[in-house]
Amino acid sequence: MIVVLVATSGATLAAILVAGPQLLLIVALLLQLLALLAHRVGRTVPAEVLADVIWGSEPVRDRRATLHSLVARLRRVFEDAGSGDVLRTDPSGYRL
């Protein structure tokens, strides 16, 4: 088992328990998504930009749906930490 702590400004947002390689991949993608959004805090990051940075030229069946799923997972992490309104959806993308 691996424990990954996600923290910002000294406040722990969540502890994610990982029990296998598939979940480890999901955690890595979530951390990458969080880093991309945190880098542009307060500004909308277009969904296409997020998908391009996360997957590059790697073939993904439905990039928009997969990104939406990752955002939903990250949103649940924030909600579990009592900060459900931190991650916003805008018409063109997402922002912290």
Side-chain angles (χ1 to χ4, degrees):
M1 179 175 11
I2 299 169
V3 177
V4 178
L5 294 177
V6 180
T8 181
S9 302
T12 300
L13 296 177
I16 303 170
L17 300 177
V18 182
Q22 182 66 24
L23 288 178
L24 186 55
L25 173 63
I26 291 169
V27 169
L29 293 172
L30 288 173
L31 290 173
Q32 189 173 17
L33 175 60
L34 177 60
L36 290 166
L37 293 169
H39 181 68
R40 294 174 140 181
V41 95
R43 294 180 287 164
T44 299
V45 183
E48 296 79 30
V49 170
L50 292 170
D52 285 345
V53 173
I54 292 171
W55 292 289
S57 62
E58 187 177 322
V60 177
R61 181 183 293 167
D62 187 344
R63 293 177 97 163
R64 188 171 265 306
T66 304
L67 178 62
H68 181 75
S69 176
L70 279 177
V71 168
R73 286 175 183 256
L74 184 57
R75 187 171 277 127
R76 279 195 300 273
V77 171
F78 283 113
E79 288 170 355
D80 289 348
S83 301
D85 60 344
V86 170
L87 180 53
R88 303 287 179 140
T89 301
D90 289 334
S92 65
Y94 304 95
R95 67 181 164 89
L96 288 178

